[in-house]
Amino acid sequence: MPSLTILPHPELCPEGAKIADAPQGVSICRVLLDNHIEIEHACELSCACTTCHVIVRQGYGSLDEATDSEEDMLDKAWGLSPISRLSCQARIGSQDLTIEIPKYTINHAKEDH
């Protein structure tokens, strides 16, 4: 199984983290949540917001292409880059991944999930 490395984030993962056995075919967001990294996901993983936006620093090419719906939503994300994805839509492939969770989202109110 590929690994998922999370770069340090001041609130969600201050020291960074590494998930050694990230299951293929599962969304990055689900893997983060299952491993107690509480990334925002205001739309409950339905590709209707950008709160789970991540920047894929390594392994971007191993992910399936983003759908038109995901691309449309990503246009609204804070800190968008050419290697951005919505973690609820990007499914882990066969290669190791390194991701960065942006410091901000466009979410004005955060609920506990």
Side-chain angles (χ1 to χ4, degrees), residues 1 8 11 23 30 37 51 53-54 56 74 104:
M1 280 193 211
E11 295 173 11
R30 175 55 47 208
I37 299 171
T51 60
H53 166 229
V54 296
V56 183
L74 275 170
Y104 302 107

Side-chain angles (χ1 to χ4, degrees), residues 29-46:
C29 190
R30 175 55 47 208
V31 172
L32 293 173
L33 294 170
D34 289 349
N35 286 275
H36 312 291
I37 299 171
E38 298 298 322
I39 188 168
E40 287 189 62
H41 55 290
C43 71
E44 296 299 325
L45 314 183
S46 67

Side-chain angles (χ1 to χ4, degrees), residues 2-5 28 55-65 83 85 90-99:
S3 67
L4 175 59
T5 301
I28 293 170
I55 300 168
V56 183
R57 297 289 180 197
Q58 177 187 338
Y60 184 87
S62 71
L63 302 172
D64 289 341
E65 286 189 37
I83 50 176
R85 291 296 302 266
R91 301 201 178 279
I92 295 181
S94 60
Q95 294 180 8
D96 293 345
L97 295 174
T98 298
I99 63 162

Side-chain angles (χ1 to χ4, degrees), residues 8-23:
H9 181 279
E11 295 173 11
L12 302 177
C13 192
E15 312 233 341
K18 184 167 187 169
I19 300 165
D21 294 320

